[in-house]
Amino acid sequence: MNHIISIDPDKDPRWDRFVGNHPLGWVVHLSGWKKLLERCFPHMKGHYLALCNSATHELKAALPLFEVRSWLTGNRLVSIPMAQLSDPLVESKDDLSILMEAAFQLSQRLHTSHIELRTFHAPSLENDKRLRADEFYKHHFIPLDKEPEALKKSFHNKAINQAIHRAARKGLKVKIANNEGDLKAFYRLFMQTRKSLGVPYMPYRLLKSLWDIFYPRNRVILLLAQKEDRTASGILFFQFNGRFSAEWEGWDREFSTYNPNHLIFWEGINLAYQNGNRIFDFGITDPNNEGLVLFKNRWGTEVMNLHRYYYSEEPGGNFIEDEKSIKNKLVEGICKCSPDFIYRQFGNFCFRHMG
């Protein structure tokens, strides 16, 4: 017999063991992610629903939800904020159905306007008439079922393989970051890149907290492409449960002809394989970004839809994100055109409402 419980991952050692043993477990499911979000975002609070065996007290399935409170964007439940990939930790539709009923009740108790679930492999929710589905984003990945040199044969020769060799010929070398100086060098490039793309500023404390929580456990790996004493680019990867995923990137446009990101991705694939991972992720992709889609396709990737499901108490409410909406275009314009001081202030404002 199973029953629903509310579990505190910070205090209950069953949680991280359960996540590590679950086939869908990911970095963002770990208790450290809850610490990260609640430390950096006061408007977020985690609620972890679990299906527990009444006799053995073993966790059978779970659904982490975060209460996100904002007067601007509305109060809602999200699984999971700041995550590219996340799934309800279930292995059957029946268990998911039980957890969803508990989520609906939680939403009513907290008076939230809607629930958002960001899924990848979990059993389909399409038959639940209360949910609206969205498949806007794509996911590119490479199964690491061959040695990297064998995988390389599937890469586009001119656009990828030759670019990797060009970066090496130009003297770029890839370093595995191991100190805060490396982290700060990456952060500077990360912020320059976000601003040029029209993406809001991210406070350094978020990156530093992520590093402090996950780096000691080898869950976060930062690769930097450097030429002599200059950092040309960097990519921060998550690593857990057989998956190695590119999450955050930053680059110096002065080095664009050196192809530093090509070299980092290649070294990342090698490192992921050496560490025994089964999947190398290129991260979430906006299909409207045709250049990025082409870049990822040229690595011989497989592509899947990322499903997002939305539940609202208000019939007809539309919470599906539209990357071409007036709101997002306005934010993009402010970020690109503002002086650095205004960009930082605007970013701090945005982060108080994100989720």
Side-chain angles (χ1 to χ4, degrees), residues 43-44 66-78 106-116 311-314 319 352-355:
H43 66 292
M44 295 184 188
F66 278 79
E67 179 184 1
V68 181
R69 295 210 161 267
S70 166
W71 58 264
L72 181 64
T73 57
N75 301 333
R76 58 220 187 264
L77 288 175
V78 180
L106 178 63
S107 178
Q108 291 174 351
R109 290 199 305 271
L110 297 176
H111 304 289
T112 58
S113 63
H114 66 281
I115 302 172
E116 177 185 343
Y311 164 77
S312 172
E313 289 282 354
E314 303 173 7
F319 298 99
R352 290 196 293 272
H353 301 278
M354 290 183 66

Side-chain angles (χ1 to χ4, degrees), residues 38 63 67 91 128 162 193 230 272 306:
E38 293 183 345
L63 176 61
E67 179 184 1
E91 295 185 51
D128 193 322
Q162 291 184 24
T193 302
R230 292 189 62 186
L306 286 181

